[in-house]
Amino acid sequence: MPMYSLGPVYQIRGMMFAILTLSILWLLFRKAKVKTTRKLPRVATAGEPLEYYIEIYNEGKRTLSGANFKEMRPDNRPNRELFANSREPGEEHRNVFDRLFCYYRWEWLQEKLTLFSCKPSTFIDSLPPGAYTKTPLSLTPKKRGIIMLKDLRIFLPDPFSIFQRCSSAHSSEDKLIVLPHRYRIPQLLLSGSARFQLGGEALSNTIGQSGDFTSVREYRPGDPLRHIHWKSWARTGIPIVKEYEDVFFPRYGLILDTFASEDQADLFEEAVSVAASFAASIDTQESLLDLMFIHDQAFVFSSGRGEDRVDSILEVLAGVDCEPRTDFDALQQLVLQYSDELTASICVFTGWCEQRSKTISRLHRAGMELVIFSICRSSQEADQLQERHPSPLPIHWLRAGHVEEDLAMTKA
Amino acid sequence: MSTAPPKLLAGLTLLYWGYLTGHLSAAIPAAILLESRHAVSLRWDFKYESYIKAWHLCVLCAVIIATISWIDGMRIGSIHTLFVWAPFIFLPIELAQRFGTAKNIPLSTFSFFARRKMLDDIKEGRKIAPRLFNTGYPYITIVILATAKASRHDLYHYVGLSILVGICLHGYTKNNGRRPVAWACAFILLLVLSWVGQWSMYKLSRHYRGGNQQITLNQTMSAAETRTSIGRLGRIKLNPKILWRMKLHNGSKPKLLRSATYNQYSKAIWFYLPTTSSSSNDYDEFGYKGSSSAAVREDQRDIRWFSETPPPLSNEAPISIIGEVDAKVKEHPLPIPDQFTAIGDLDTEAFVECNSMGTIRMANPDYNVIEYAVWRGDTSNTEEPPIQQSDSSYNLDLSIPRHERDALKRVCTELDLYNPSLSTLEKIKIIKHFFIDNFTYSTHLTTPRFDRGKRQSATSLFLEDSRTGHCEYFATATTLLLREAGIPARYCIGYAVHELGNDKNEWVMRGLHAHAWSRVWIKSTSSGKDGKWIDADLTPPSWQSIEAQNLDNWKQRLSDKWQLLREDFLIWRTKEANKTRVFYVLAAILSLVVIWVSWRLWSSRQRKSDTRLQAYQRPKYAPYTSLHKLEPLVAGKIGRRPTGTPLCKWLQGLLLVDEQADPELEESLATAIALHSIVRFDPTKSSPKQNQELALLCKRIKQQIKNYQSYKK
């Protein structure tokens, strides 16, 4: 035994050395050959955890035990160009050391480029060779868009769980559409509602006749032939048609401002989330929704009765990008084109400026009913912008990072 | 590390620390306090600031412990020894973790700069994500390391360490895919490997450290022996630190202060061989005797002498000496001047003894820094004259190693030291001039390295060949030459007194003043006494000027001032009256801190039931049904039931294993779930018949699951 005063110290060193060596060497003998299949839903929502299952088939010759799985995210390291040309928001307020070594810029870029985070699955107790089982996994998408899942890994820890061997789990490539994050929307009283009416001044927009039979009248050119009442024609000798109640459904417009620069990317994301929140909350059984935005060209997507489901609008919003080239005239033209059909419109702007103010003025003069939301960084900024570029209509300001609470305070 | 350790592990580790370090009385209450968390429902909803205060309390504990140790004489260089108290230093933060409602605490708690950065980030509106961790396992690690620092039993330490590490690994792997058989095999291998590993590390360390040790003058010294650096290559390390201070109250200044005297030389080692004669029975078998039992004066002042009759003593001791007894030097020989007669002003419980060479040693002093008074007389009353061994005619004070004889004979012949007409003093003078004229003093030896077997002729090489050396060479050569010339001589080590301190009558002795010389017996020409021992320092006088170089710099002056301040304070503190004062002041400060913390904690306490969100606790009387017994079988098919998932909902996952679910299984499961819900949640309304029905159904389901072969091949 070593010297009295040094013995325990050497024992501790020996123990630490033994634990590390044994753990590392044990991993050389831990192997697994598995094939996995993901059972993914089609869509997920940004910021909300997604639970799904993976099926595991043990292709190896030994029983698999004490292993777990995890979805590895793609490499989120920024490249040199991106790192050199980016600036973290508020970087100028950092100290000299941080500005020189830019660690926080690196961290910010990594966070921006991270698509999702994934928790490891529970451990598999025992899976005989040739058998299969299912295990749940949880994944939280960080941002909207499309995630390609192609790197599922199996972790094989040593007996002391100090180190683990990480191998590929041989899975296929799967796609997951991540819808924008949505907020709780306040009760907005928009004009128009679905009702049955016979003629009169249209307060909403008709989409067709599907009401009850009410009366007959003389045929007028243009009436559908299927509505001819043959018995009455036979009796009277002149064409007679049946008359039905008209069904009127409101048609709402959701105008998304895509004209945002690179440093307003976070505001744009909030604008998309707000637009998605409205799209998801409007009752498309009783109304129609038209999403309009400009991205290289004008786009209009409709959902509601007789049209696509609202999910399709959300999927569109999942993939929409900023339009760097500002063209509010095109947006005006697009919206005015549908102004007669639209009952009311919700405008979601990324910030505020002279051009946006002019657009709203033009649309308002055209007689459109508008509810305006604009994303800003702070209340002070909102006040300054409104003072600089007054709007003919009230604007509901939503602060980035506090959207939900600002929406809750909104009254239509 | 965000998982808490298993119950009672921290308490067990503390008891292990207490037992092995000898502080069990302190460890027991601390362990009870830590583990009482599981018995009491008291909790505190600590905010972030509270954890910071707990950390500050840890720092305060460390400062208090360091202060107390410093007051007790610990040197700054030995501050690492305080690590043995780490379990108590970190106890406040561990208690805050245990009794707080938060599962983990932010890592920035422990760093002022990290906290400041976090506040700056909050102010700038940046998102913060502090790293959280649980202090449980790190605290246990600190306790284990502290135990290793001061453990008294090697084998028990190893056994305890193995058990604790095993429990830690067992607890850590519990929810991390533990495989029992693999774990057990790995643990056995771990024990074997660690046992082998510690031996290998020790051997390796010894191999690499062994050849590079710096030579230190008198590198191991005790009252019994001194290992000189005669024959070693390299430069002698000279320590400029002040080791002793001498205050001269009256009389003349002694040139040398002697620490120890030796009479036997062999292979570069001088040691003391007892020379008690049959007539003297005061000495024990090791050649030491205690002070006279009558040694105390009427005014109760502590004075001790070693002669049979009390020597004449003045009221005021002519010399007082202050210094730190070195723990590495065994049995603490004390430096004393020539013509020593009595020693005094020591701690009443201090035990001093003296050998026949006049070496005074102190056994186990209470304090590191001591002050003592010394009386001098006409002659030393502690040194026995050169006498023969009781059972032979062999005089140790004339003994010469055989391998040195030839060279000594040659030199003595050359110097005519065999001439009977020359007196002792004349012979000493001849040797002195011989050294001054032909030898050089140097602390840096460049002669070829001696092999172990050749070191015995180092003195011969010094006398006839190299003629360069330091004081040990000169002292050894003087002693051996005089012995060869028939003059009893002894070898002494101690300090040369030639540096004046800050005060007028204060002299300082540094490490570089350490010196060796001879002690020579001069026969008396007058009637009465046989003779006396005198100092014969024949090292060329230039050595003092060589050692005095590079002393005058501000760093050295600052270091000296600090050391003197510390020693004076420690001397003041060890006086009886002052001991009590210091204790009361420290106790008062500590009590105030404890009272204030306790009051703050008591006023903000909560009961465990106050917290709104609690982990699900199964009601004590809720029955287990047959459906519960299916859980292990089903877990083998679809994986373990996740925390928070109800049993019935989880069981339905069995039907999703195959795309074409078995309708029979589906039906049986649905019925079983319905029955289970009645039995489990409304046991008063359930009947034994329903229980039996459920049991039969579960048996059928079990069979169906086995036959169902959900593992597809």
Side-chain angles (χ1 to χ4, degrees):
Chain A
M1 189 64 77
M3 278 199 303
Y4 177 85
S5 61
L6 290 179
V9 175
Y10 282 104
Q11 286 169 12
I12 297 244
R13 287 179 188 163
M15 186 71 72
M16 279 168 54
F17 171 76
I19 288 176
L20 293 173
T21 310
L22 203 58
S23 296
I24 291 174
L25 289 177
W26 198 285
L27 292 178
L28 297 174
F29 300 99
R30 283 225 71 186
K31 287 176 187 165
K33 196 174 172 194
V34 294
K35 193 174 165 194
T36 52
T37 312
R38 293 186 193 86
K39 298 291 185 196
L40 272 173
R42 212 170 70 86
V43 295
T45 302
E48 288 179 17
L50 171 75
E51 303 273 342
Y52 63 101
Y53 280 89
I54 50 167
E55 280 183 357
I56 304 145
Y57 178 64
N58 185 3
E59 289 181 331
K61 293 176 189 168
R62 291 191 283 191
T63 301
L64 179 68
S65 57
N68 65 343
F69 293 81
K70 190 177 170 186
E71 205 77 64
M72 301 303 285
R73 56 188 179 206
D75 189 357
N76 60 352
R77 291 174 298 175
N79 58 28
R80 190 175 172 174
E81 198 186 323
L82 181 65
F83 179 72
N85 296 330
S86 304
R87 288 291 176 271
E88 182 204 359
E91 189 174 300
E92 60 279 2
H93 298 300
R94 289 203 184 267
N95 60 46
V96 171
F97 185 87
D98 290 338
R99 274 185 278 137
L100 181 65
F101 288 96
C102 302
Y103 169 72
Y104 294 101
R105 188 196 296 175
W106 174 269
E107 224 181 28
W108 170 71
L109 282 169
Q110 276 206 306
E111 203 189 316
K112 250 180 75 163
L113 297 170
T114 301
L115 294 178
F116 63 88
S117 64
C118 182
K119 282 186 194 167
S121 70
T122 51
F123 281 87
I124 291 176
D125 287 331
S126 175
L127 185 63
Y132 82 89
T133 186
K134 266 178 149 179
T135 190
L137 267 180
S138 174
L139 180 151
T140 306
K142 295 283 184 199
K143 40 202 265 190
R144 63 183 174 93
I146 292 176
I147 295 177
M148 298 305 298
L149 297 172
K150 48 190 173 183
D151 193 5
L152 183 66
R153 298 280 183 106
I154 178 170
F155 291 94
L156 302 160
D158 66 271
F160 300 136
S161 299
I162 307 289
F163 298 106
Q164 56 194 2
R165 187 170 187 153
C166 176
S167 312
S168 173
H170 299 295
S171 64
S172 55
E173 203 171 292
D174 291 301
K175 189 172 86 170
L176 180 69
I177 299 171
V178 181
L179 304 178
H181 179 67
R182 296 184 290 283
Y183 299 105
R184 203 190 302 263
I185 294 291
Q187 283 277 348
L188 277 183
L189 293 175
L190 297 171
S191 60
S193 60
R195 64 182 183 280
F196 298 100
Q197 69 175 46
L198 276 172
E201 192 178 344
L203 294 177
S204 43
N205 304 76
T206 180
I207 60 155
Q209 294 180 325
S210 60
D212 294 334
F213 169 65
T214 53
S215 61
V216 294
R217 58 171 172 80
E218 280 186 14
Y219 171 81
R220 288 200 283 265
D223 288 335
L225 292 176
R226 66 180 186 278
H227 287 171
I228 291 176
H229 198 256
W230 299 103
K231 284 182 182 169
S232 297
W233 190 353
R235 270 204 304 277
T236 59
I238 49 175
I240 301 289
V241 293
K242 289 178 272 191
E243 204 167 42
Y244 297 91
E245 284 181 333
D246 281 335
V247 181
F248 294 85
F249 285 92
R251 192 178 189 121
Y252 298 116
L254 181 59
I255 302 159
L256 177 63
D257 169 17
T258 52
F259 306 121
S261 58
E262 195 58 47
D263 56 348
Q264 288 178 317
D266 56 325
L267 299 182
F268 179 68
E269 290 301 318
E270 293 282 22
V272 170
S273 293
V274 170
S277 309
F278 280 113
S281 64
I282 282 179
D283 184 3
T284 47
Q285 293 295 322
E286 300 294 327
S287 56
L288 290 161
L289 181 69
D290 290 330
L291 170 66
M292 296 177 228
F293 60 87
I294 305 289
H295 185 67
D296 292 335
Q297 58 182 14
F299 286 95
V300 180
F301 295 93
S302 298
S303 75
R305 285 185 70 96
E307 305 285 346
D308 267 344
R309 292 167 49 135
V310 73
D311 291 351
S312 60
I313 288 213
L314 293 177
E315 287 182 25
V316 168
L317 285 170
V320 71
D321 277 330
C322 300
E323 173 57 55
R325 196 173 49 88
T326 312
D327 190 359
F328 281 98
D329 289 335
L331 184 64
Q332 274 180 39
Q333 282 169 19
L334 173 64
V335 176
L336 286 171
Q337 206 177 330
Y338 290 89
S339 61
D340 292 336
E341 296 167 25
L342 293 174
T343 309
S345 294
I346 300 170
C347 304
V348 184
F349 286 108
T350 315
W352 192 248
C353 61
E354 182 66 34
Q355 287 173 306
R356 289 180 175 98
S357 175
K358 282 184 179 166
T359 303
I360 292 299
S361 301
R362 179 74 185 87
L363 295 176
H364 181 59
R365 281 199 302 273
M368 287 186 68
E369 188 166 333
L370 302 169
V371 178
I372 305 167
F373 290 89
S374 183
I375 314 294
C376 62
R377 294 202 192 278
S378 64
S379 311
Q380 290 85 2
E381 187 191 74
D383 293 337
Q384 283 169 9
L385 286 171
Q386 184 138 26
E387 201 179 314
R388 221 179 292 156
H389 314 289
S391 162
L393 292 169
I395 304 173
H396 300 287
W397 291 97
L398 305 173
R399 293 167 297 154
H402 303 275
V403 170
E404 185 133 25
E405 50 193 88
D406 289 344
L407 277 171
M409 307 258 295
T410 305
K411 290 173 194 172
Chain B
M1 274 270 171
S2 58
T3 48
K7 270 189 205 177
L8 302 181
L9 181 60
L12 195 67
T13 314
L14 261 177
L15 292 175
Y16 163 75
W17 169 86
Y19 174 70
L20 286 176
T21 57
H23 299 114
L24 202 56
S25 52
I28 290 172
I32 291 171
L33 193 60
L34 272 181
E35 297 301 337
S36 63
R37 176 196 188 269
H38 303 292
V40 302
S41 60
L42 273 176
R43 293 289 182 272
W44 281 268
D45 184 17
F46 290 129
K47 300 281 178 270
Y48 180 51
E49 290 76 24
S50 306
Y51 289 112
I52 296 170
K53 283 179 188 162
W55 174 241
H56 288 162
L57 202 56
C58 294
V59 173
L60 183 65
C61 288
V63 167
I64 289 173
I65 289 173
T67 308
I68 292 172
S69 300
W70 179 78
I71 285 171
D72 276 343
M74 182 204 74
R75 301 200 74 86
I76 298 292
S78 310
I79 202 162
H80 58 90
T81 54
L82 294 182
F83 190 71
V84 70
W85 293 104
F88 285 87
I89 292 172
F90 292 100
L91 191 62
I93 193 72
E94 176 63 12
L95 286 172
Q97 167 80 78
R98 286 187 165 241
F99 286 93
T101 47
K103 196 178 158 200
N104 298 314
I105 62 177
L107 204 54
S108 57
T109 306
F110 304 98
S111 164
F112 166 75
F113 297 104
R115 286 199 300 274
R116 211 172 120 182
K117 189 172 178 325
M118 196 166 82
L119 290 171
D120 284 342
D121 284 343
I122 293 170
K123 201 169 132 189
E124 293 290 332
R126 293 185 199 117
K127 198 171 68 171
I128 55 160
R131 284 191 179 85
L132 301 173
F133 88 120
N134 189 292
T135 59
Y137 279 115
Y139 181 74
I140 289 170
T141 307
I142 286 169
V143 175
I144 291 174
L145 291 174
T147 312
K149 188 73 197 158
S151 174
R152 295 178 180 186
H153 302 278
D154 284 353
L155 186 61
Y156 291 171
H157 179 268
Y158 184 74
V159 170
L161 178 68
S162 306
I163 292 170
L164 289 173
V165 166
I167 297 173
C168 283
L169 290 173
H170 191 268
Y172 182 64
T173 56
K174 192 177 165 190
N175 294 322
N176 285 329
R178 185 172 66 219
R179 294 168 290 145
V181 173
W183 190 94
C185 295
F187 190 66
I188 292 167
L189 274 173
L190 169 69
L191 294 177
V192 170
L193 201 61
S194 65
W195 183 262
V196 169
Q198 62 164 333
W199 272 107
S200 312
M201 282 184 185
Y202 172 67
K203 294 285 183 199
L204 213 65
S205 167
R206 221 177 132 180
H207 173 74
Y208 281 108
R209 272 195 203 163
N212 289 337
Q213 279 174 346
Q214 217 167 10
I215 306 161
T216 317
L217 196 63
N218 292 338
Q219 52 185 344
T220 55
M221 187 264 277
S222 71
E225 69 174 35
T226 179
R227 293 175 185 228
T228 67
S229 27
I230 289 175
R232 285 191 184 269
L233 199 65
R235 186 175 289 283
I236 302 295
K237 184 176 171 229
L238 303 167
N239 187 0
K241 202 175 80 165
I242 295 175
L243 299 178
W244 297 97
R245 278 182 287 158
M246 182 180 75
K247 288 183 181 169
L248 195 62
H249 303 297
N250 56 54
S252 59
K253 171 193 79 98
K255 285 185 188 166
L256 298 163
L257 285 184
R258 191 176 75 247
S259 294
T261 310
Y262 309 96
N263 57 0
Q264 192 73 3
Y265 177 71
S266 175
K267 293 181 186 176
I269 301 174
W270 277 99
F271 48 91
Y272 163 64
L273 214 58
T275 58
T276 52
S277 66
S278 55
S279 60
S280 170
N281 50 11
D282 290 339
Y283 296 94
D284 60 21
E285 67 265 33
F286 301 107
Y288 285 87
K289 65 176 177 182
S291 58
S292 168
S293 56
V296 70
R297 297 243 316 191
E298 285 171 5
D299 56 2
Q300 299 301 317
R301 186 179 178 180
D302 171 59
I303 305 178
R304 309 170 198 213
W305 54 86
F306 298 92
S307 55
E308 285 171 14
T309 53
L313 300 172
S314 56
N315 279 335
E316 194 192 359
I319 292 171
S320 56
I321 300 175
I322 303 170
E324 188 167 352
V325 287
D326 189 350
K328 287 181 203 163
V329 178
K330 294 176 198 171
E331 296 146 351
H332 310 293
L334 303 177
I336 50 170
D338 192 12
Q339 297 160 329
F340 166 88
T341 53
I343 188 171
D345 291 347
L346 291 162
D347 192 55
T348 44
E349 291 179 6
F351 178 69
V352 288
E353 51 188 10
C354 166
N355 67 11
S356 59
M357 308 271 114
T359 303
I360 310 289
R361 71 179 187 182
M362 177 186 270
N364 300 327
D366 283 338
Y367 305 104
N368 286 0
V369 177
I370 57 170
E371 183 179 13
Y372 57 94
V374 175
W375 283 262
R376 299 172 82 187
D378 296 330
T379 181
S380 170
N381 62 357
T382 53
E383 288 170 283
E384 298 289 336
I387 49 173
Q388 295 170 354
Q389 268 191 317
S390 56
D391 58 350
S392 75
S393 58
Y394 188 60
N395 190 338
L396 285 170
D397 294 320
L398 291 172
S399 66
I400 295 170
R402 198 172 297 142
H403 47 269
E404 306 282 4
R405 267 186 217 277
D406 295 336
L408 289 168
K409 274 192 175 124
R410 286 194 290 273
V411 173
C412 282
T413 307
E414 184 190 331
L415 298 177
D416 195 26
L417 292 177
Y418 293 120
N419 189 342
S421 63
L422 292 171
S423 67
T424 304
L425 287 170
E426 282 167 344
K427 286 181 183 177
I428 291 170
K429 220 178 252 181
I430 290 168
I431 297 172
K432 185 174 177 178
H433 287 302
F434 174 58
F435 284 154
I436 289 171
D437 294 338
N438 301 293
F439 286 71
T440 315
Y441 178 85
S442 172
T443 54
H444 186 207
L445 302 176
T446 55
T447 47
R449 186 184 171 81
F450 295 107
D451 291 332
R452 216 173 170 78
K454 286 185 184 172
R455 280 181 66 200
Q456 57 200 12
S457 57
T459 315
S460 319
L461 277 165
F462 164 72
L463 281 171
E464 295 184 306
D465 194 359
S466 68
R467 297 195 167 181
T468 304
H470 46 76
C471 56
E472 287 177 334
Y473 280 94
F474 287 101
T476 303
T478 305
T479 309
L480 295 178
L481 280 170
L482 287 171
R483 286 183 177 186
E484 179 61 27
I487 300 166
R490 292 167 179 171
Y491 177 88
C492 303
I493 55 169
Y495 302 91
V497 181
H498 60 84
E499 183 183 337
L500 203 58
N502 290 335
D503 287 345
K504 193 174 138 193
N505 289 324
E506 191 178 85
W507 300 85
V508 297
M509 278 135 287
R510 301 176 186 272
L512 45 85
H513 298 142
H515 195 41
W517 63 95
S518 295
R519 199 108 172 107
V520 185
W521 177 252
I522 303 288
K523 277 186 193 162
S524 176
T525 49
S526 58
S527 59
K529 291 185 184 171
D530 292 332
K532 62 176 180 180
W533 291 97
I534 60 164
D535 288 328
D537 179 12
L538 303 190
T539 305
S542 59
W543 80 273
Q544 291 177 4
S545 54
I546 292 171
E547 307 306 355
Q549 290 166 11
N550 298 324
L551 262 186
D552 188 23
N553 59 69
W554 66 270
K555 276 190 215 168
Q556 192 57 52
R557 282 199 295 273
L558 197 65
S559 170
D560 289 348
K561 206 163 193 170
W562 169 250
Q563 187 179 342
L564 299 182
L565 213 67
R566 177 179 168 272
E567 284 180 2
D568 289 341
F569 171 73
L570 288 171
I571 296 289
W572 174 87
R573 181 236 179 292
T574 55
K575 295 206 174 359
E576 279 305 320
N578 300 330
K579 262 195 246 182
T580 320
R581 253 182 246 159
V582 168
F583 172 75
Y584 280 138
V585 166
L586 282 177
I589 294 171
L590 213 64
S591 306
L592 281 172
V593 170
V594 168
I595 289 168
W596 180 75
V597 169
S598 305
W599 172 74
R600 288 293 300 264
L601 285 173
W602 186 252
S603 55
S604 62
R605 73 193 185 284
Q606 287 178 2
R607 291 280 161 190
K608 208 167 158 188
S609 54
D610 284 348
T611 53
R612 288 180 189 179
L613 293 173
Q614 287 185 29
Y616 172 68
Q617 303 236 341
R618 197 168 202 284
K620 279 183 194 170
Y621 302 108
Y624 280 98
T625 68
S626 307
L627 204 66
H628 284 108
K629 292 179 189 168
L630 289 180
E631 191 170 343
L633 179 66
V634 176
K637 310 293 181 189
I638 64 171
R640 206 178 287 160
R641 175 155 66 121
T643 311
T645 308
L647 176 67
C648 301
K649 187 179 169 188
W650 174 71
L651 282 173
Q652 281 164 355
L654 194 60
L655 303 172
L656 302 171
V657 170
D658 190 15
E659 283 172 7
Q660 292 173 357
D662 182 3
E664 264 187 53
L665 176 66
E666 198 174 342
E667 196 190 326
S668 307
L669 201 58
T671 316
I673 286 172
L675 282 170
H676 161 84
S677 301
I678 297 169
V679 174
R680 162 74 175 88
F681 297 106
D682 199 3
T684 50
K685 289 202 177 149
S686 67
S687 61
K689 191 185 167 192
Q690 281 172 323
N691 269 323
Q692 280 168 12
E693 205 181 317
L694 179 60
L696 284 167
L697 208 53
C698 289
K699 221 182 252 182
R700 204 191 321 159
I701 291 172
K702 197 172 172 181
Q703 206 52 47
Q704 281 172 333
I705 291 173
K706 281 182 182 172
N707 295 338
Y708 185 55
Q709 290 192 1
S710 61
Y711 290 144
K712 289 232 170 144
K713 302 222 177 188

